[in-house]
Amino acid sequence: MAPAIYRVVSSARIALSYGPSYLFVVALRLLILVARGDIEDRTARTGVDLPPEKLSTSYDFIVVGAGSAGAVVASRLSEIEDATVLLVEAGGEEPALSDVPLMYPALQLSPLDWQYKSQPSDSANLAMVEARSSWPRGKVMGGSSTINAMLYVRGNRKDYDLWARSGNTGWSYKELLPYFKKAEDVGIGRLRGDPYHGQGGYLSVEEFKYYSPITDDFLRAGQEIGYEVRDINGQQQTGFTKSHGTLKDGLRCSTAKGYLRPAQGRPNLHIVLHAHVERLLIEKTTKRPTVKGVEFSRMGKRGIRVAANKEVILSAGSINSVQILMLSGIGPKEHLESKNISVVVDLPGVGKNLQDHIALGGITYLFDSPPESRPIGVGFVLPRVVTLNTLKKFALQKTGPLYGVPACEAMAFVNTKYANESEDWPDIQLLFASSGDNSDGGLFGRRNNGLTDDYYATVFEPILYKDAVSILPLLLRPRSRGAILLSDDDPASHPLIYPNYFNHPDDIEVMIEGAKIGYRLSQTEALKKYNIRLHNVPCTQCQNYTLLSDDYWKCQARQYTMTIYHPVGTCKMGPRHDPEAVVDPRLRVRGTRGVRVIDASIMPSIVSGNTNAPTVMIGEKGADMVKQDWGYRTDKVLKT
Ligand SMILES: Cc1cc2nc3c(=O)[nH]c(=O)nc-3n(C[C@H](O)[C@H](O)[C@H](O)COP(=O)(O)OP(=O)(O)OC[C@H]3O[C@@H](n4cnc5c(N)ncnc54)[C@H](O)[C@@H]3O)c2cc1C
Ligand SMILES: *[C@@H]1O[C@H](CO)[C@@H](O)[C@H](O)[C@H]1NC(C)=O
Ligand SMILES: *[C@@H]1O[C@H](CO)[C@@H](O)[C@H](O)[C@H]1NC(C)=O
Ligand SMILES: *[C@@H]1O[C@H](CO)[C@@H](O)[C@H](O)[C@H]1NC(C)=O
């Protein structure tokens, strides 16, 4: 343990630094108001929260959740001119601040976030308060695409071929690539016209407008250890790249911005905000229970019912789609009965098969910025980079560090000894941050990850605001499986989240090999010229292990088990013979009529990369399947 006085001093220092940082946020907000009409433009927002008296009693389609998938589905279905669409979202409008990339870490644990926490673990998340991991989820137009890190990554073609091979007809990479392209409007010059990229879609993809100078050296380090710098969303995934983002003119392009603002004027699309769907309305008289509508609460008023003439589409995300199904009586029988919910369809897979990406957090390398780069340096140290000058640059020149995301400026897909190199199906993603948990003085990283005071005081307080980078390995295809359960039958309660990180023994073995590849990068000329060195102060619980040994890495992995926020799989898509399948390959909920799930929860196995772009793709394909099944035209742009 750090001496008590040390912990108290650390906590006090952090508490005091909130003052200036809030001032900065307020200053930024005011500057946007006066100088950045492009961000401020209220009419450009989907601020079309439907007045209660305009709500119809029925719509052809009701989409629940305006997130990465739901915004896409609502936008595409409202292209059908003679169909009416209601989009029901629990959160409010996108605020102006979420447009600014650097504000990314400030959005968590705010009103834009559902603020979930996983259940305590005895073998992971040990450095976190109560051994619980924060699971942010967007509660706002655009859902998690409005609070995420904006990284644009599609995953590996083999991920999708695996889905298809397990019986999911129509979901091979070859069949899905047209949907990735349909969604995309690539603004990166050299990728325009590339056979793997799309132009004219609603999701704008760009390079970040700002990268810390040290980012290039990370790419060079990758080349030194034998990898190529390439477009990891193209022909081949293995390799290094600067991060590409879902960005428009350098600002966040959430799915609300990309897909719903252009659809705003459509008379057949109604959007209700601050409306929490509590359950599906189900008719049980027919052979198959048929979903006839939804019931939601809005601003304190409960029991608002709207009918669906054709279908309800659940796009509430991996946690909430499960919750809504279960509250409606669709889920594992015993569990529902134990919560006093009458069972409509016994569907054992609902909430099971939970998969998430975790990284081995806190791996910090100190370095020395070259004299000529000072005082700012080549990395990101909050008080040096975030200044009045930075604000001015952002407001007047539309450049500078506010256009960057230090938490992941570059990334790599690499092979540990457990992967087959010639397959191009890497098992580790390296996330390169131009900062460490010390660089923001504990304001965001520490708070968002829920680190204990003791951990922060012991490990990071001694190197406060020193130049640092992090190279974090992320386990791409975990074998552990978790679950989501209801805590009770109250729709306002948070469901119980059991990630079961490291339950499968292989996971930690692959993870620590990833940490070793990261360490190898620190030994390259490209990074050594900065006198780079592993920050070698272990936390109290790991101090008895030899630094860099397998046991040391394993200890740290169980302490700083860092979610990268990609829960998927809880409404698994699968063929009829798969007992755990919740939806069929056309995303219809088994044993029912009139309801589909279209969001990240349908992934049968997690993809080898960040999950936003794949979820947008699922939205595109899902919307097309709805159109096809009701005899509407899908558009003709679909060719590879
Ligand atoms: C902090 C963070 C960082 C991330 N960084 C990246 C990244 O850089 N790159 C990347 O590719 N992926 C990233 N991800 C993951 C990615 O954003 C998600 O996988 C993706 O957004 C999931 O989409 P979804 O449509 O399934 O759910 P969501 O986008 O979460 O949408 C669900 C929507 O449903 C609404 N809703 C839920 N319940 C109800 C209800 N009962 N009634 C009405 N509405 C409801 C929610 O408010 C929300 O708007 C990140 C995620 C987070 C949280
Ligand atoms: C279960 O539901 C019934 C009927 O809705 C109710 O009367 C009863 O009090 C509930 N029991 C519990 C334990 O919540
Ligand atoms: C690696 O993959 C290649 C190509 O798929 C295959 O031919 C080879 O047998 C694999 N090697 C091992 C050791 O599995
Ligand atoms: C580390 O070793 C010391 C001396 O053997 C012992 O007292 C201490 O409990 C150990 N700490 C941990 C976390 O295992």
Side-chain angles (χ1 to χ4, degrees):
M1 292 283 264
I5 179 71
Y6 208 45
R7 269 180 289 146
V8 171
V9 169
S10 167
S11 319
R13 185 194 57 70
I14 292 168
L16 288 174
S17 56
Y18 276 112
S21 75
Y22 281 132
L23 269 182
F24 179 84
V25 171
V26 170
L28 173 61
R29 185 66 195 87
L30 288 174
L31 260 182
I32 290 175
L33 191 65
V34 297
R36 292 297 302 265
D38 56 329
I39 301 179
E40 189 55 36
D41 186 7
R42 312 279 322 160
T43 59
R45 282 178 206 274
T46 47
V48 286
D49 192 6
L50 195 75
E53 67 276 10
K54 294 242 170 94
L55 185 71
S56 307
T57 50
S58 74
Y59 293 82
D60 291 323
F61 299 104
I62 299 176
V63 182
V64 180
S68 296
V72 178
V73 174
S75 173
R76 291 298 185 191
L77 291 182
S78 62
E79 290 172 350
I80 311 168
E81 282 174 12
D82 59 356
T84 52
V85 179
L86 177 68
L87 175 58
V88 190
E89 167 56 47
E93 276 183 36
E94 276 182 286
L97 284 176
S98 64
D99 264 30
V100 183
L102 189 71
M103 285 293 110
Y104 153 67
L107 307 174
Q108 291 171 46
L109 300 172
S110 78
L112 307 183
D113 176 5
W114 286 86
Q115 306 186 11
Y116 292 124
K117 282 206 185 306
S118 65
Q119 291 301 299
S121 167
D122 53 15
S123 52
N125 301 122
L126 301 176
M128 288 146 197
V129 177
E130 296 174 351
R132 302 172 76 170
S133 176
S134 283
W135 272 33
R137 296 280 95 196
K139 186 179 189 178
V140 58
M141 286 296 283
S144 300
S145 78
T146 300
I147 66 163
N148 73 13
M150 292 157 279
L151 305 171
Y152 182 77
V153 179
R154 291 181 183 174
N156 189 289
R157 75 172 68 215
K158 289 202 163 61
D159 302 328
Y160 304 104
D161 290 344
L162 180 67
W163 294 4
R165 263 213 318 283
S166 18
N168 294 301
T169 312
W171 291 87
S172 69
Y173 179 73
K174 192 162 174 280
E175 292 161 296
L176 298 179
L177 179 59
Y179 287 107
F180 280 113
K181 291 172 67 175
K182 180 183 183 181
E184 187 181 22
D185 185 24
V186 72
I188 302 168
R190 63 179 182 284
L191 298 180
R192 289 187 155 257
D194 181 290
Y196 287 89
H197 289 275
Q199 278 167 255
Y202 284 124
L203 191 68
S204 175
V205 176
E206 299 173 354
E207 289 192 319
F208 285 88
K209 267 198 185 180
Y210 180 86
Y211 296 96
S212 300
I214 197 169
T215 308
D216 283 324
D217 299 293
F218 173 76
L219 301 184
R220 283 187 206 111
Q223 288 170 317
E224 258 183 68
I225 67 165
Y227 287 92
E228 277 174 49
V229 174
R230 64 160 44 91
D231 172 24
I232 51 92
N233 294 314
Q235 165 88 31
Q236 216 180 319
Q237 190 188 30
T238 309
F240 280 59
T241 183
K242 274 189 185 177
S243 299
H244 295 173
T246 43
L247 299 163
K248 197 172 168 61
D249 304 323
L251 302 168
R252 177 188 298 275
C253 182
S254 68
T255 54
K257 187 194 262 186
Y259 280 85
L260 290 174
R261 290 188 201 177
Q264 196 182 328
R266 293 178 191 160
N268 61 335
L269 173 63
H270 283 178
I271 302 174
V272 288
L273 301 180
H274 307 292
H276 185 127
V277 171
E278 303 196 334
R279 61 181 57 80
L280 302 169
L281 304 172
I282 305 181
E283 191 180 271
K284 286 161 244 181
T285 47
T286 46
K287 193 167 81 218
R288 277 182 168 227
T290 303
V291 172
K292 290 291 188 185
V294 301
E295 182 177 305
F296 60 85
S297 58
R298 191 186 190 191
M299 303 183 188
K301 190 172 170 215
R302 289 191 71 176
I304 305 168
R305 294 178 165 210
V306 181
N309 304 326
K310 294 186 158 70
E311 270 194 40
V312 172
I313 289 118
L314 285 180
S315 300
S318 293
I319 301 167
N320 297 45
S321 285
V322 166
Q323 184 184 30
I324 296 168
L325 284 175
M326 287 184 175
L327 290 172
S328 311
I330 303 173
K333 184 162 176 285
E334 306 79 72
H335 177 58
L336 297 185
E337 281 171 349
S338 77
K339 301 298 173 191
N340 205 18
I341 295 170
S342 69
V343 180
V344 178
V345 182
D346 176 17
L347 208 49
V350 176
K352 305 256 169 62
N353 190 44
L354 173 63
Q355 298 158 63
D356 188 20
H357 281 146
I358 42 171
L360 205 174
I363 306 182
T364 313
Y365 296 90
L366 298 171
F367 70 95
D368 303 323
S369 273
E372 66 275 15
S373 71
R374 290 182 195 150
I376 291 176
V378 295
F380 179 87
V381 179
L382 190 114
R384 283 195 233 150
V385 178
V386 176
T387 59
L388 280 180
N389 193 33
T390 312
L391 275 181
K392 233 169 58 197
K393 266 194 174 155
F394 177 78
L396 304 177
Q397 287 150 271
K398 301 190 175 175
T399 58
L402 283 162
Y403 282 99
V405 174
C408 186
E409 302 217 40
M411 63 178 70
F413 289 88
V414 297
N415 297 298
T416 72
K417 64 182 184 191
Y418 299 110
N420 179 343
E421 269 183 50
S422 53
E423 279 196 312
D424 183 35
W425 203 9
D427 52 357
I428 287 284
Q429 179 181 10
L430 295 175
L431 307 175
F432 177 77
S434 57
S435 58
D437 281 316
N438 60 323
S439 315
D440 67 6
L443 278 186
F444 300 111
R446 169 186 163 282
R447 170 171 161 273
N448 291 344
N449 288 308
L451 295 179
T452 61
D453 292 346
D454 180 49
Y455 192 94
Y456 196 85
T458 311
V459 180
F460 296 114
E461 200 72 25
I463 54 167
L464 203 64
Y465 300 134
K466 289 202 166 128
D467 271 322
V469 296
S470 312
I471 307 177
L472 306 184
L474 175 155
L475 182 70
L476 284 170
R477 286 184 299 285
R479 303 184 74 172
S480 305
R481 295 289 180 267
I484 291 185
L485 293 171
L486 292 181
S487 50
D488 55 41
D489 61 356
D490 180 356
S493 300
H494 283 190
L496 307 176
I497 299 168
Y498 297 92
N500 292 343
Y501 297 136
F502 297 130
N503 256 28
H504 193 292
D506 289 359
D507 286 353
I508 202 158
E509 301 293 340
V510 179
M511 182 71 107
I512 67 167
E513 293 305 317
K516 294 179 195 172
I517 301 175
Y519 184 75
R520 259 178 78 202
L521 287 169
S522 76
Q523 303 295 299
T524 58
E525 291 308 315
L527 289 174
K528 272 195 144 165
K529 68 169 184 267
Y530 296 117
N531 184 28
I532 195 167
R533 62 230 181 245
L534 183 70
H535 172 49
N536 62 5
V537 176
C539 62
T540 316
Q541 289 73 13
C542 301
Q543 68 192 6
N544 286 358
Y545 298 106
T546 314
L547 206 69
L548 299 177
S549 67
D550 283 10
D551 285 342
Y552 174 77
W553 287 126
K554 284 182 188 172
C555 177
Q556 193 176 338
R558 292 192 189 280
Q559 291 289 324
Y560 203 151
T561 321
M562 185 179 177
T563 177
I564 304 296
Y565 323 112
H566 299 162
V568 303
T570 49
C571 296
K572 181 187 187 186
M573 168 173 71
R576 196 187 302 254
H577 58 76
D578 180 348
E580 226 181 41
V582 173
V583 298
D584 70 9
R586 297 196 73 77
L587 308 185
R588 297 171 296 210
V589 176
R590 274 168 70 160
T592 67
R593 276 184 216 284
V595 60
R596 287 181 221 243
V597 179
I598 306 183
D599 60 27
S601 70
I602 66 100
M603 294 187 191
S605 48
I606 195 163
V607 294
S608 312
N610 311 58
T611 44
N612 186 55
T615 306
V616 170
M617 176 279 290
I618 289 168
E620 287 279 12
K621 183 171 168 68
D624 257 15
M625 291 192 299
V626 175
K627 287 178 176 176
Q628 286 156 2
D629 290 353
W630 289 98
Y632 293 110
R633 285 183 37 219
T634 62
D635 47 30
K636 290 157 283 177
V637 294
L638 282 183
K639 35 182 162 45
T640 321

